Amino acid sequence: MYLRISQDKKLENFETLVNHRTLLESFACKNGFTFETYEEVLSGGSSELGKRPQLQRLLNEIETFDAILVVELSRLSRNGLISETVLQYCKDYDKPIITPEKVYDLANNDHDVLTFRFGALIASQEHALIGKRSKNNKIQMARAGLYISGSPPFGYVRNPKTKKLEIKEEEAETIRYIFTLHSQGLGSFKIRDILNAEGYKSATGKYFNLSSIKRIIKNPVYKGWTVFHDRKKVKKNGKFIYETLEKIVCKETHPAIIEEEIWDEINKDRNERAIKSTFFREKPANKMGVTLLKDLLYCSLCGKKMTTQKSNNGNMYTLKKCEYLNEKGKKCGNAGIKLEYVEKHVILHLQTFKEEIMEAIKALDEKKFATNDKDCIHRLNRIENKIKEVKDEKKNLIDLAVAGIFTHKEVREKKQELEDLLLYLQREHKNLKDEINDKKAKTSDAQICGVLSKMSLSNIKDHSDLLNETLKLVIKKIYYSRKMPTDVSNKSTRNPERRNYPFQLVIEYY
């Protein structure tokens, strides 16, 4: 039994989920079905199966069931690619989809397959139209100066009648205090520490963190402006990002907490400070090169990732003191150190335990590659069968139009959908073949063994990026701890006791 309600639709709430569950449970009991429930709250238009964990789990376990039970087909997906994936699983494992109105025998009935695909096409188009209407509505509301961005910002409440922001005075005082401190030359770090020391609380009732201070200072809502970004979701370098198509700015739409001139002056000053900091302050290591332990070091006290910086002369990297806040609003306080000391410790550890590490990697890789090769070949066969099926379906479109089942417009839309799917499948087929060939040519355990055997302090500088990528194949996290007593941390950084205070590392392997 698969249940899904959309987080994008205001009319679909948990009561809807309960109603759907009750309907299907009653239907199942009436027909003598036993079932396991898979349910989730998310948009049905998502194009990635990885973002549908319950549906993905259902498909992985489909062989243990007799059928999939849903309220209607659109509950499974409003995206053509995922609908095709579900269809292929049902055909491969000979599992029907059951709704209270109809049973879809997708493995044995071509008419049911056609109905399923046509329903998926309609659901996909409906989802796209709903999204477009919703966005156009938000754009019009933004141009009218109405607040449409979810929860109101700290310092304001949203009037349910006018749909505009109104000042919440007890919070607005905190906002004014933040801008006053910034105008006195204080940065976000110092402002955060002052607010927490004086007992101020954020919108969630917790202590202020650095990012919240920065967001408040940069937010034009506090000078009475409503800003809406019309964005488009696109995929780049394997990740989805939002590109801004249009920035809609409406001035004087609600009472300002900070005068416009003061807000502009403070943000001009903030931008100038940021520009100066690129010349006069230490630079983050991720902007100045890759270190041996990049993205591997974590604070053992609070669990947050440690920050590395490079000195102005470029001769030294430093592991910065951890300043994340705990639940009591206190800084973590895990002391920093020269990065080369930590790198030396890690290399000595790897050299000492290299044989044991390589034996473990070899055993894991043999098992992994045997499984992966089998999975890749199975996926390759499925994709090849799917390509053939899509090509055959394209040939049948004309017959469907002649028979009057599809209109010419529907045929064009379906043809475009099939061409997009075919392009995707051909691309996946090529990538999968390249992956299989690459695994035959080179295995990661040989690569790691070669790099670890050459690893030493002398070649870190020239090969830190390669060594870092290799370590990430072996090491999951390195937990760092250097918690100094107060009397030691208060001493000068040149004091031998403080400078030589020991640190501890715990290396977590995959």
Side-chain angles (χ1 to χ4, degrees), residues 290-354:
V290 177
T291 63
L292 174 69
L293 304 179
K294 182 180 183 296
D295 297 329
L296 287 173
L297 289 169
Y298 288 78
C299 176
S300 64
L301 304 182
C302 68
K304 302 290 186 180
K305 186 183 290 186
M306 301 291 290
T307 302
T308 305
Q309 285 190 330
K310 192 175 185 179
S311 61
N312 288 330
N313 58 21
N315 295 327
M316 183 182 71
Y317 284 100
T318 303
L319 193 63
K320 287 190 64 181
K321 177 181 179 181
C322 182
E323 293 191 325
Y324 284 98
L325 301 182
N326 59 27
E327 294 180 355
K328 296 182 180 180
K330 302 294 183 181
K331 293 179 183 177
C332 174
N334 198 1
I337 198 171
K338 286 185 179 180
L339 186 62
E340 64 177 289
Y341 298 153
V342 183
E343 291 175 337
K344 181 178 180 180
H345 184 101
V346 172
I347 288 175
L348 290 174
H349 176 88
L350 291 174
Q351 290 174 341
T352 303
F353 297 99
K354 184 174 66 178

Side-chain angles (χ1 to χ4, degrees), residues 247-285:
K247 182 179 178 181
I248 300 169
V249 178
C250 299
K251 302 180 181 181
E252 300 180 1
T253 57
H254 55 270
I257 294 177
I258 306 299
E259 292 182 18
E260 185 173 335
E261 295 77 9
I262 296 175
W263 189 95
D264 290 341
E265 184 64 30
I266 286 177
N267 274 272
K268 179 182 177 183
D269 178 58
R270 181 185 63 80
N271 291 330
E272 290 175 350
R273 290 188 201 178
I275 294 172
K276 289 179 181 179
S277 71
T278 61
F279 296 98
F280 299 109
R281 295 182 185 175
E282 291 181 327
K283 285 83 174 174

Side-chain angles (χ1 to χ4, degrees), residues 135 138-139 142 148-149 226-230 246-249:
K135 187 167 78 169
K138 287 182 178 180
I139 291 174
I148 56 175
S149 303
T226 294
V227 178
F228 176 75
H229 296 271
D230 178 14
E246 182 184 5
K247 182 179 178 181
I248 300 169
V249 178

Side-chain angles (χ1 to χ4, degrees), residues 4 23 45 73 102 125 156 161 182 205 256 278 321 343 371 373 396 423 433 445 481 497:
R4 178 189 64 80
L23 172 65
L73 293 179
K102 180 176 172 58
Q125 288 295 104
Y156 286 101
K161 294 182 178 179
H182 196 282
T278 61
K321 177 181 179 181
E343 291 175 337
T371 302
D373 281 343
N396 294 332
L423 184 64
K433 287 198 73 172
D445 63 307
S481 175
E497 184 182 4

Side-chain angles (χ1 to χ4, degrees), residues 13 123 154 182 185-186 313 367 401 405:
N13 49 37
F154 185 65
H182 196 282
L186 301 181
N313 58 21
K367 181 179 179 181
I405 298 175

